[in-house]
């Protein structure tokens, strides 16, 4: 199972979820499964937390890199388009 080190949301709606790297990498998911997990996580957040305007994923405070997915720590994985 993946472990979250820290999850924060600021007053502008920026949500940052910082995962424990060794636990995410240890999941051993293929590309399709990994994409589905994070797409579903984003969808769940967006549907249930309307105050969230951007979502960032990090690992141990740095970039989120699994071999299948890659999110720079300073780039949103998802952003609300208005």
């Amino acid at each position: 199972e993946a472990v979250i080190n820290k999850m924060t949301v600021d007053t502008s709606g920026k949500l940052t979820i910082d995962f424990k790297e060794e636990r995410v990498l240890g999941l051993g998911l293929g590309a399709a499964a990994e994409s589905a997990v994070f797409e579903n996580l984003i969808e769940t957040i967006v549907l249930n937390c309307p105050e969230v305007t951007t979502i960032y994923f990090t690992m141990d405070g740095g970039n989120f890199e699994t071999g299948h997915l890659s999110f720079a720590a300073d780039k949103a994985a998802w952003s609300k388009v208005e």
Side-chain angles (χ1 to χ4, degrees), residues 21-43:
E21 182 175 9
E22 68 184 46
R23 297 301 293 268
V24 172
L25 297 178
L27 291 173
L29 299 175
E34 202 170 273
S35 292
V37 166
F38 284 92
E39 287 170 12
N40 284 308
L41 177 57
I42 290 170
E43 183 177 345

Side-chain angles (χ1 to χ4, degrees), residues 7-27:
M7 189 164 61
T8 59
V9 63
D10 68 15
T11 56
S12 70
K14 175 185 174 183
L15 172 66
T16 302
I17 304 173
D18 184 56
F19 292 90
K20 187 165 192 66
E21 182 175 9
E22 68 184 46
R23 297 301 293 268
V24 172
L25 297 178
L27 291 173

